[in-house]
Structure formats: structure tokens, C-alpha cells
């Protein structure tokens, strides 16, 4: 068993190995999970969580690295969480990202972690918040969460962040892709990266149009800015930090930050509660009961709703 | 209120509008959902459910259409369910698919339906089985379920089908994509479509290698066949039907069909039960209770696990 209080205080002092151990404890179904979570709770709430999402290769890791540089210049401690929804391999940093993050790996003010969620029970929604909590408690001022935008993952990650950044690049028919993927609803800040390439202005214009940014909004409403960057040369990173800080200030002024964090915590709590109930169903009935009900469904004797009633009945009257 | 028994018997007679109404009833949260499901139960189990998945544009709809033709030649009634995990638009058939299915739309032995799952509570896992149940009860001998392979959707659809077909096409670096997406674990039958293009043999060879088809297997084990097709010309459709029927016979012989269907029914039941419990949590506490707990988490007074305990406590002692 780990000495959790000692680990937590080492993590607070910025010891990367302690942070890594804590993340491993909360990622898995460690018996000490609850002890760790309880110890972290009073230390959380200080970090500003920024989600970065976009199609594969759009420049998320390069932009993240540029943001790390920009925030380090401002003296901030930065956590980076690279979430790969398609990979079953976790821990450490991915090779490609390690290269792009190479200038930061020896910086004690930066903590970098990769996380795989494929096959993970509950996927992203389950795994990421816990790691974010550790980085937050460890004293990160800013946590950058990178996720590839495939399937529902970009929507899920938006649920984890205080501010969601959506990245596009010129060409690639990004506009249509964007509309299809529903990312137009989730971005607080948009980035047109690879602005050194042809078509960046056109992409920004199209995006401006699709977001309806030309239209009037109610005073006090947030108008998502579009920032053009060349992440590979660090260009635009300061403008991006400014846009982020503006969004954060706007959220604080309008109570939105508190609102979002509360909604996030409610979600997390509900997910854990449902998981617990699921476990209780298994404890109460064993797998055999469920299999017996399922066999009756296959035989056409029962429908799944009636079967679910049977399962739930025992649980709530126990 | 709909007259459910009348609708069900019209659907059994092959009236497409009755089938469409039933699907609409089970897709939404209709108050008659449970009545419909109970009425369908004794009529289900006759259909053979085939899932088709693969990257965008690989030829799933074209192959589905070719399969419909092949099964119609054999006198079978066929249901087609096109599931689009990225679209919020449901009902009817998608425009492109309507074109590819055009030769079948006036055939009374074919029922075609599109289904969107984006934003749908529980996504694919929730919506598809209910529609499959309707098509099954309506007397379809074969149900073809097409899903684009993005994110987890191809794994989910594999959970809904008796037999899973994974489609690849030459080029596109499909091999590596396949490995990344984990489709190597889910295919019962593989199709290399667009065999009129260069590289089809190479793709088949690579797949053969990656699946370890050259290696020895225990006797009685299923060895996924690789079928080369030119779906746009209907070539290979009969061979594909033969491969499917072989897999179905193998499953029946080894009890695998019963096993898979039971596992599927168990899953469905559990999902419904958990949804019901989630509703009870809301009924019992109201949203205010959860929000209050969430606010305490944000304030650092509580961790999400302790909050979940509070939620679950009331439920199981009630
Ligand atoms: N020309 C140009 N290339 C860039 C720019 N930013 C990133 N790149 C390059 O684009 C490629 C992909 O960049 P990444 O940062 O790995 O992209 P990503 O979005 O993290 O990719 P995944 O994590 O694989 O989805 C790399 O070769 C980068 O060097 C840019 O502003 N201009
Ligand atoms: N050359 C060639 N083209 C084909 C073949 N089969 C399908 N196509 C073409 O490939 C394109 C995509 O076919 P679809 O059947 O729509 O592919 P899909 O996988 O259903 O696509 P999505 O549903 O959008 O993911 C169409 O233009 C088809 O005509 C084939 O065997 N050979
Ligand atoms: Mg990356
Ligand atoms: Mg299609």
C-alpha cells in the first residue's frame, strides 16, 4: 500500500514521480482510489482546464507545446494530458508527442501525461476527470487536455474543460467536417492553425460565417474568437493565451465557470453512482440471474423492459 | 394512442407504414414503448442479423444493396438499417443511400430505414436493438445493419449483430487503420471491396497476415474468410452470402448463436435497468440534491466518490 498523504504532499511539491503514481492510482481500480480522491478534494479548484480538440494532424500537440511555452513565460505551472480515444496503451507520453514536447520534458514546471481510453470502462468521461484532479491538486495553474476529435470524444472532452478550443487547418474540407462533427456547438475559442498554408483566411471566413459571428448577439453573450496560428513556429500562441484568459474572465464575471464546474462535478458523481448501482445489481443477482432473464428474452418469453424491471425490483426493496 | 396490436399485425403482413410507425414508437420515449416491446417479444428470433462496418466510403451501402439483391434472389425478406453515428437526422433513408438502394425501394420484400444516433441517449447501443426487434417481428429473414466505423461505433455494432462483416478497400493504408481501430477482433467475415482497383490482392494478403490466418487453429474454431468483391457491379455478393451462411451454420452448430444472442439480451437488459435506476435517483432526490453535492465538490468539501455514496444511499434503503 502506498502512503497516500506522503504521495500527495510530494506531488504538491512538484515531484513528478509522485504525480505519476497518483494518476496510476486513480486511473486503475486501486483499492486506495477513494483514499486518494478524498485527500485530493480540498486541494483542487485552482487549475484552469483548457480542452484542445480537432481532426487528426491538425496541430493539437504542436499547439499544446506552444501554449506550454507561452504559459511558462508567464510563470505558470502547466499540466498536459494527451487523451487518445483510439489507443489501448497508456502511461508516459506517446512517442510523437514526446518529440513535440521535448523542450518541456526537463522543465519541472511542466507535467506531461498520456492517457488511453479505448476499452476503458466509461471511456474518456470516466478516466480524464480523475487525472485532471491529480494535476489540479499537484498545483498546476493551467491544465491542457488534448483529444483527437473522432466520434463523440470531442463532445466528451468539452464536458471536462473550463474552456474548449477547437482547431482547424486550411483545406481538408474542414468546414463541412466541422458541421458534421457538431464542433460548432462546443468551441469557446477557435484556432485556424497552419496559417502559413494557403486558404487559412478562407477557412477563417467560412468558420466566421458558420458560427454566425456576423450576427447580433445579446450583450454579455460570449462571441467565440477565431485565432490564426502557426503552431510549428510558435506564432499566435500569445494571442491564443489572451483569448483564453479573456474567456476565463468572461466566465468568472458571468458565473459561468462555477456553473460549468458544478455541472461537471454533478455528471461525475452520477457516473460513479450508476457504476456503483451496476455493481450492486451484479452482487445481488450474480451473473446467472441476468443470463437466465436474457435466455428468456431470446426465447421470446420476455421483453428487455420487463426483464429490467425484474432486475431492479430486488435492488430497491433490499 | 396507437392501436398497438393492429400495428403489429399489419407489420407482420409486411405493411411498410406499420413498420415505420413501430420503429418511431420504439426509437423515441413513447409512453407506448413498453406495450410495443411486450407485443413484439413472442414474434422475434427469426431474423439473422448481419452488421456491416468499415471506413467512410469503403462501399458499405453499395455492398448492402448487392446483398439485398442476392438475398432477394433466394426469396428472403430483408430489412436494412443504416445507422449514422455522426448525424442527428433520423427517419427515412439518407439521400445517397436512397440512390444506392433505389432498385429496392419499391420491392415489398425489402424494408429500409436510416437511424441517427448522435446525441441519442446511449447512442447506438440503445437505439439499434429496438429497431432490429421491430424488423425481426415484422418477419424479416435477414437484417443488414450498416454503420460507419468511427470511434467505438464499429465495436458497438458488432455487439448487436449475429455476424459482423468488416469491409476494407485497397490503398488508404487500411491495414494500419484496421489495427488501430481494433476491427481485427470483431470481424467474423472480411470483405476487400473495390477489387477492381489495384492493390486488392495486397490488401487481402496483408489482412490474412494480420489476422494470423496462416497459423494453426483449434479444430472447430472459426477462421474468418476474406471475400473479394466489386460491390458496384454486384460481383462477389453470392460468395459473401455463402460466407455469411457458413458462419451462421457454424454458430448454430457450436451454440455460438444462442450465446451471442443471450449476451446481447443481457446487455440490453442491463442498460435499461441502469437507465431506470438513473431515473429513480432523479425522482428521489431531484436535481437540486445532485447540484448541491456538486457544489460541495467544486468547493473542495467533498470528493465525487463520497458524493456518489450519498446519492446511492437513499436509493437502496428506500
Ligand atoms: N505547416 C505547418 N505545419 C504544422 C503546423 N503546426 C503543426 N504542424 C505539423 O503538422 C503535423 C501534425 O502536428 P501535430 O501537432 O502532431 O498534430 P495533432 O493534431 O496533435 O495530431 P494527432 O495527435 O495525431 O491527432 C506535424 O508534422 C507538425 O509539425 C503549422 O502551423 N504549420
Ligand atoms: N471502383 C469501385 N467503386 C465502388 C465499389 N463499391 C462502391 N464503390 C463506390 O464507392 C463510393 C462509396 O460507396 P458507398 O457504398 O456509399 O460507401 P459507404 O461505405 O456506404 O460510405 P459511407 O456510408 O459514406 O461511409 C461510391 O461512389 C460507390 O459507387 C467497387 O467495388 N468498386
Ligand atoms: Mg497530437
Ligand atoms: Mg453508406
Amino acid at each position: 500500500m502506498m502512503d497516500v498523504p506522503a504521495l500527495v504532499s510530494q506531488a504538491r511539491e512538484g515531484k513528478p514521480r509522485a504525480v505519476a503514481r497518483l494518476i496510476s492510482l486513480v486511473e486503475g481500480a486501486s483499492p486506495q482510489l477513494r483514499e486518494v480522491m478524498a485527500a485530493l478534494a480540498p486541494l483542487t479548484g485552482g487549475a484552469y482546464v483548457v480542452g484542445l480538440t480537432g481532426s487528426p494532424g491538425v496541430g493539437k500537440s504542436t499547439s499544446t507545446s506552444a501554449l506550454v511555452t507561452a504559459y511558462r513565460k508567464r510563470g505558470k505551472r502547466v499540466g498536459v494530458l494527451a487523451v487518445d480515444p483510439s489507443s489501448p496503451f497508456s502511461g508516459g507520453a506517446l512517442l510523437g508527442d514526446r518529440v513535440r514536447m521535448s523542450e518541456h520534458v526537463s522543465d519541472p514546471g511542466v507535467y506531461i501525461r498520456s492517457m488511453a481510453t479505448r476499452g476503458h470502462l466509461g471511456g474518456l468521461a470516466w478516466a480524464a476527470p480523475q487525472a485532471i484532479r491529480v494535476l489540479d491538486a499537484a498545483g498546476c495553474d493551467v491544465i491542457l487536455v488534448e483529444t483527437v476529435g473522432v466520434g463523440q470524444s470531442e463532445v466528451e472532452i468539452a464536458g471536462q474543460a473550463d474552456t474548449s478550443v477547437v482547431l482547424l487547418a486550411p483545406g481538408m474540407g474542414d468546414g463541412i467536417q466541422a458541421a458534421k462533427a457538431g464542433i460548432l456547438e462546443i468551441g469557446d475559442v477557435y484556432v485556424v492553425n497552419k496559417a502559413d498554408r494557403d486558404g487559412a483566411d478562407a477557412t477563417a471566413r467560412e468558420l466566421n460565417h458558420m458560427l454566425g459571428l456576423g450576427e447580433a448577439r445579446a450583450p454579455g453573450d460570449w462571441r467565440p474568437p477565431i485565432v490564426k496560428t502557426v503552431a510549428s513556429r510558435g506564432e499566435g500562441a500569445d494571442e491564443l493565451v489572451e483569448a483564453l484568459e479573456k474567456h476565463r474572465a468572461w466566465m468568472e464575471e458571468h458565473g459561468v465557470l462555477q456553473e460549468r464546474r458544478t455541472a461537471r462535478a454533478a455528471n461525475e458523481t452520477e457516473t460513479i453512482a450508476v457504476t456503483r448501482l451496476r455493481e450492486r445489481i451484479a452482487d445481488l443477482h450474480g451473473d446467472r440471474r441476468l443470463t437466465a432473464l436474457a435466455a428468456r428474452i431470446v426465447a421470446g418469453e420476455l421483453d428487455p423492459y420487463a426483464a429490467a424491471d425484474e432486475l431492479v425490483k430486488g435492488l430497491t426493496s433490499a
Side-chain angles (χ1 to χ4, degrees), chain A residues 8 48 83 94 111 122 124 172 178-179 217 225 233 254 257 276 290 303:
Chain A
V8 170
Y48 171 46
V83 183
L94 302 176
Y111 190 84
L124 205 56
M172 303 165 59
R217 301 199 167 209
R233 297 200 296 251
H254 291 82
L257 190 60
R276 179 127 338 137
L290 183 55
D303 72 85

Side-chain angles (χ1 to χ4, degrees), chain A residues 158-175:
Chain A
Q160 312 297 339
D162 294 325
T163 297
S164 287
V165 179
V166 173
L167 291 95
L168 301 170
M172 303 165 59
D174 263 311

